[in-house]
Amino acid sequence: MSSPLSLLLQWPSFFLILCQIFYASQADLGTASQYSPPYTPSACFGSDSTQFPSSNFFAAASEGIWDDGAACGRQYLISCISSVLPKACKPGETIQIKIVDRAQNITSTPTRQGTTMVLSTAALAAIADSNAPSLNIDFRQ
């Protein structure tokens, strides 16, 4: 039989575990492909070369997250969950990307149509094998 003090001490541990579960569930699941240069003009910033972060981690947004252009400039943390290419994901890698374009307007063809995000070649290579045609990703703003 547990003492009242023992039960009282167990609640903070339970609460911390519960908080971790809810924190982890803040992310959305989606898909990503990649596109190659030319990256301009973009639907968000035209031909302005300063739109691209120095890391070259940027993306074009699908209609699901485009939000009538409100996605322009948004930053997301993304990581690779899986791919059709075995062992393509780089475990533990999470990067921050910036939305600079609308996927349906990009000038080069993505490796796969209809994904949540179309990543720059540098962004995709940072989280997965660059030969992967598409990825399942975890992303959060």
Side-chain angles (χ1 to χ4, degrees):
M1 179 169 240
S2 299
S3 72
L5 181 59
S6 174
L7 288 173
L8 186 62
L9 293 176
Q10 289 176 357
W11 279 106
S13 297
F14 175 73
F15 180 72
L16 288 174
I17 291 169
L18 196 60
C19 287
Q20 287 296 319
I21 291 169
F22 282 113
Y23 176 76
S25 67
Q26 294 290 325
D28 288 311
L29 300 177
T31 54
S33 58
Q34 68 178 313
Y35 70 124
S36 303
Y39 296 122
T40 55
S42 74
C44 294
F45 307 103
S47 295
D48 182 3
S49 62
T50 63
Q51 68 184 301
F52 303 110
S54 59
S55 64
N56 283 321
F57 296 166
F58 56 88
S62 70
E63 294 307 296
I65 61 173
W66 177 244
D67 197 16
D68 291 324
C72 289
R74 278 189 193 152
Q75 308 237 359
Y76 289 94
L77 293 174
I78 64 168
S79 56
C80 180
I81 298 170
S82 66
S83 174
V84 293
L85 186 65
K87 299 182 181 180
C89 293
K90 295 181 179 176
E93 290 296 327
T94 299
I95 62 168
Q96 182 172 321
I97 59 102
K98 177 182 176 183
I99 300 296
V100 298
D101 210 343
R102 185 180 192 178
Q104 74 178 29
N105 292 3
I106 57 177
T107 54
S108 64
T109 305
T111 52
R112 182 171 163 222
Q113 298 287 338
T115 57
T116 309
M117 293 181 190
V118 184
L119 305 175
S120 65
T121 54
L124 189 127
I127 59 170
D129 182 331
S130 58
N131 293 315
S134 65
L135 309 172
N136 292 313
I137 58 168
D138 173 277
F139 68 99
R140 62 187 169 276
Q141 195 172 343

